[in-house]
Amino acid sequence: MPEPARDTCALVTGGSRGIGAAIARALAADGWPVGVNFRSGEEAAHAVVDEIVAAGGSAVPIAGDVAAPGAAERLLAELEQQLAPVGVLVNNAGVHADALAMQLEDEDWDRVIETNLSAAFRLTRRAVGGMIRRRHGRVVNIASVVGTKANPGQANYAASKAGLIGMTKTIAVEVARRGVTVNAVAPGFIATDMTEDLAGGALDDVPARRAGRPEEVAASVRFLASDEAAYITGTTLVVDGGLSA
Ligand code: NDP
């Protein structure tokens, strides 16, 4: 059951389903009060919150499109008011809009970069100030193996995830002296709504011969958010069943 109450909380963007929901549950099980952010899945986010509360944890739903103007300020201020200042930020919200580069529309390029990368930057920028003042904080960015390995049809998504990995390293170095760590987790093929349309052969290249479970990604995030991971920063932890090996 959850550890004793903490004086900061965790924000999981896109926590209403898939990997984000599993991360919210895992952090709550470690005693973090959790803000479960969602964009459209209000009912799903409430269900995640109810489940955490029923298990003895603490959580609130936090509505908002992370890519909307002013979202970083609004989400963090709202969470500070409802729970506590954010001590763990998990930038998980992500979208894809696939097309071969020659057919990729500006709108789909911009939407994916804004949601997956720019929003994560703005949330991190807003959150690290308080973390630095408290001399403690954790930022975990959910990247992807596609950030390091080609995946035709995903130039926008790959650029956003490669950008996240680069951003992770640089901000990690900027804040390392202040007790704040910044890391990325790069999942491979995880069974969620995002991958349900993938062709049947998609698992052929995965040495483990199966899709990962959201809980297997969440376990890595939970570790990186813990005190045990205090000396790990600027790294990308790959969770892919050997796909990129
Ligand atoms: P899902 O599509 O299952 O869930 C996406 C989540 O992100 C939902 O909770 C959704 O909220 C939320 N979201 C999307 N856009 C926004 C937004 N603008 N503002 C706030 N929330 C938003 O995705 P996964 O769980 O599969 O993926 C989670 C993360 O993991 C993503 O960053 C993805 O790129 C990454 N990833 C996933 C892999 C996989 O195989 N599944 C592999 C590698 C990386 P709502 O439903 O409320 O709209």
Side-chain angles (χ1 to χ4, degrees), residues 78 104 210:
E78 198 176 314
L104 192 53
R210 66 170 178 88

Side-chain angles (χ1 to χ4, degrees), residues 207-231:
R209 291 290 186 271
R210 66 170 178 88
R213 291 182 289 111
E215 292 73 21
E216 292 174 309
V217 179
S220 301
V221 177
R222 178 181 181 165
F223 168 63
L224 290 171
S226 73
D227 288 343
E228 286 88 342
Y231 202 57

Side-chain angles (χ1 to χ4, degrees), residues 193-208:
D193 295 346
M194 189 179 270
T195 49
E196 72 178 0
D197 295 338
L198 288 185
L203 288 175
D204 291 352
D205 293 336
V206 180

